Amino acid sequence: MVVWKLDRLSRSLKDLLTILEKIEIAGATFLSLTESIDTSAPAGRLMMQIVGSFAEFKRATLRERTKNGLDAARKEGRVGGRRPKLTKQQQDEIVSLVTSGKKQALMRPGCFKYIRLQLVVF
């Protein structure tokens, strides 16, 4: 099996070892072009496990930093996602028009979200 880069195959060492075992059972070898890893020799298998461990570590630290950044943003009152297209005043106006019966049809599909949110909160 030939791959361009090892982290394209798997980012978990457990998965990587499972895949390596399946390749070995099939009587094939693994070759990574970027890292020059060839599992036909014991040194290549060792190198594959080392590089796989680093890939898993990199993924775990990235996940941890992302989570910490999102938690810090929430503590500061920031919320992820796109900004609403309608202002609070426009949202309130849509809700009042629909709930009063002055408007029956919604002109924009996104408006239903504001009405549903208002009707759920009693």
Side-chain angles (χ1 to χ4, degrees):
M1 171 183 260
V2 179
V3 295
W4 174 251
K5 198 167 183 180
L6 184 62
D7 64 355
R8 299 290 100 202
L9 179 64
S10 174
R11 295 190 183 217
S12 162
L13 183 60
K14 179 183 174 189
D15 290 340
L16 186 64
L17 293 175
T18 303
I19 293 169
L20 180 61
E21 184 179 340
K22 289 179 182 179
I23 292 171
E24 193 174 312
I25 289 170
T29 59
F30 174 84
L31 178 64
S32 172
L33 299 175
T34 307
E35 292 96 1
S36 299
I37 297 173
D38 184 2
T39 61
S40 62
R45 288 192 293 273
L46 173 66
M47 193 63 187
M48 181 174 176
Q49 291 179 12
I50 291 170
V51 172
S53 295
F54 281 120
E56 184 175 4
F57 174 73
K58 181 180 174 183
R59 175 103 168 124
T61 55
L62 177 66
R63 187 180 318 127
E64 184 179 332
R65 281 186 285 151
T66 301
K67 183 182 178 305
N68 290 341
L70 290 172
D71 290 343
R74 280 189 206 102
K75 285 181 184 176
E76 294 175 8
R78 294 190 313 235
V79 179
R82 188 178 0 181
R83 291 190 177 109
K85 289 187 177 185
L86 300 177
T87 64
K88 179 68 175 149
Q89 180 183 357
Q90 291 171 324
Q91 294 172 19
D92 292 341
E93 184 179 349
I94 290 170
V95 170
S96 66
L97 288 172
V98 172
T99 55
S100 68
K102 292 182 181 176
K103 292 278 185 182
Q104 294 179 350
L106 297 175
M107 302 307 266
R108 296 177 55 171
C111 297
F112 180 71
K113 173 176 67 174
Y114 303 113
I115 296 167
R116 187 178 69 233
L117 290 173
Q118 287 291 325
L119 294 177
V120 170
V121 178
F122 292 104

